[in-house]
Structures are given as structure tokens and as C-alpha cells.
Amino acid sequence: GGVVLVLLALLLRAFAQGNIRWAIVGEFLTAPVILKGFVWTLLITFVALALGIVLGFAFGMMRLSANPVLRFTSQLYVWVFRGTPVLLQLLIWFNIALIFPTFYIPGIIEVKMVTLMTPFVAAVIGLGVNEGSYLTEVVRGGILSVDRGQVEAANTLGMTPGQTMRRIILPQTMRLILPVLGNSAVGMLKFSSLAATIAMTEMLNAAQRIYFING
């Protein structure tokens, strides 16, 4: 314990005596650009996590489907997005206009992809889709953990598979995976800093700008 305390004291001393102007750091903590970046960070976290939850539930149920096409699609989704770096995924989404120059839905919308895929949109999609690939397995595990006797009881009462899923299985699954969603929210808040690499003015990007100006 004494050794740990000494090491902590030495670490604090090194930071205190380092070439860091702490007075300026404290002054800029409440700078408008930092506060604006913090708001963008929270917004990216919330929207990307919401997208990840939706995708996680959708693909999680697809993993348990009797349809082999749906099962294969879900497995491919998990394999691709869990097996590639998050930063690479963000860069691909941000530069998706190189592959799809136009976003086109017949009779509804036609817009250039470079206009649609802003840094915010790319960050939300990239982080959300990646998070969804992890939540897919979480949701699948949560659904499988629900006692099968409850499903059989619902079938006995004449419920359709869709009604059983909505009224019996999913509410219990949500309760079981809620702690994991809390951890996912914290992780998403950390991963949001990667949005700085695609010119998104979140908290890290705002701090970097201040540093380059005052460095």
C-alpha cells in the first residue's frame, strides 16, 4: 500500500510539474466551443446508441429466425462489423459517396451523397451500426434466456408468434439486457471521440482546435 501511495504521489507530481499550463486549461473548460463540442458528443452518443439498440433487436431476432436467409444475413452483419476497426468503419461511411454518389429513392428523394453524409450523420451511422453488431449477440442471448415454458404457455393461450415476441419475450429480454445497455452507453460516450477523425466538431475536436491555436 505504501508503494502504491508513493507511485501515485510521484505521478501527481509529474503532472503538476509537466509542461502543461493548467491555468489556461481551467480557463477553457467552460469555453463556448468546448461546451458546444460536449453537446455534440452527447447527441452523437444518444442517437448512435438508439440506432444500435434498434439494429441489435432486429438482427438479434433474425439470428433466431427459422429462415436461413435471415440467419445468414444476421451472421454476416455481426462478422463484418465486429471484425473491422471502428475507425475504419467511420472513414468508409464518411467517404461512401465514392461508391454511391447519389442517394436515390424513386419518386421520393434524390440527393448527392456528399450533401447527405455530413460528419454527424457518418459518425452516428458508423458508431450505431458497429454497436448494433455487438448488441445483436446480447439480444440473442437475452431472448434465449427467457424460459421456454412461457412461450409454450402463450401458444396455448392462442397467441401468434408475433404477439408472443412483443408481449412475453421482448419485455423480459429488455429487463435482462438493461445493465449491458448501461455499459454500452458509457462505451459509446468514449467512442464518440473517434468522430474527430472525420472533422466532426465534438469535444475532442474542439479541444484540439484550442490547443493548435494556443500551442
Side-chain angles (χ1 to χ4, degrees), residues 35-101:
L35 296 178
K36 182 180 178 181
F38 180 65
V39 172
W40 278 112
T41 296
L42 293 180
L43 188 59
I44 291 172
T45 300
F46 176 77
V47 180
L49 183 60
L51 176 61
I53 292 174
V54 172
L55 293 175
F57 271 93
F59 284 96
M61 289 186 288
M62 288 169 61
R63 284 294 300 269
L64 299 174
S65 173
N67 189 317
V69 176
L70 294 181
R71 288 201 309 271
F72 173 77
T73 302
S74 179
Q75 292 171 356
L76 182 64
Y77 166 70
V78 172
W79 180 74
V80 170
F81 289 101
R82 289 185 66 170
T84 53
V86 183
L87 181 57
L88 175 62
Q89 295 177 36
L90 287 176
L91 294 174
I92 290 176
W93 284 110
F94 187 57
N95 295 283
I96 198 68
L98 298 174
I99 304 172
F100 303 103

Side-chain angles (χ1 to χ4, degrees), residues 45 49 131 180-192:
T45 300
L49 183 60
E131 186 66 26
V180 180
L181 293 180
N183 293 334
S184 296
V186 175
M188 184 66 71
L189 187 64
K190 297 176 181 178
F191 276 122
S192 65

Side-chain angles (χ1 to χ4, degrees), residues 48-184:
L49 183 60
L51 176 61
I53 292 174
V54 172
L55 293 175
F57 271 93
F59 284 96
M61 289 186 288
M62 288 169 61
R63 284 294 300 269
L64 299 174
S65 173
N67 189 317
V69 176
L70 294 181
R71 288 201 309 271
F72 173 77
T73 302
S74 179
Q75 292 171 356
L76 182 64
Y77 166 70
V78 172
W79 180 74
V80 170
F81 289 101
R82 289 185 66 170
T84 53
V86 183
L87 181 57
L88 175 62
Q89 295 177 36
L90 287 176
L91 294 174
I92 290 176
W93 284 110
F94 187 57
N95 295 283
I96 198 68
L98 298 174
I99 304 172
F100 303 103
T102 304
F103 180 76
Y104 177 65
I105 300 178
I108 299 178
I109 186 174
E110 182 178 1
V111 61
K112 290 184 177 180
M113 189 62 76
V114 291
T115 304
L116 180 64
M117 194 59 64
T118 63
F120 174 76
V121 174
V124 167
I125 294 178
L127 295 175
V129 170
N130 178 263
E131 186 66 26
S133 66
Y134 285 91
L135 292 180
T136 294
E137 293 300 309
V138 174
V139 171
R140 184 175 71 93
I143 292 176
L144 291 176
S145 66
V146 177
D147 184 50
R148 299 304 300 174
Q150 299 188 39
V151 178
E152 294 173 359
N155 294 334
T156 303
L157 293 173
M159 288 187 179
T160 65
Q163 290 174 331
T164 303
M165 181 64 71
R166 292 194 307 270
R167 300 179 182 179
I168 305 297
I169 299 177
L170 288 184
Q172 296 185 71
T173 301
M174 196 66 188
R175 176 179 59 85
L176 292 170
I177 70 173
L178 197 58
V180 180
L181 293 180
N183 293 334
S184 296

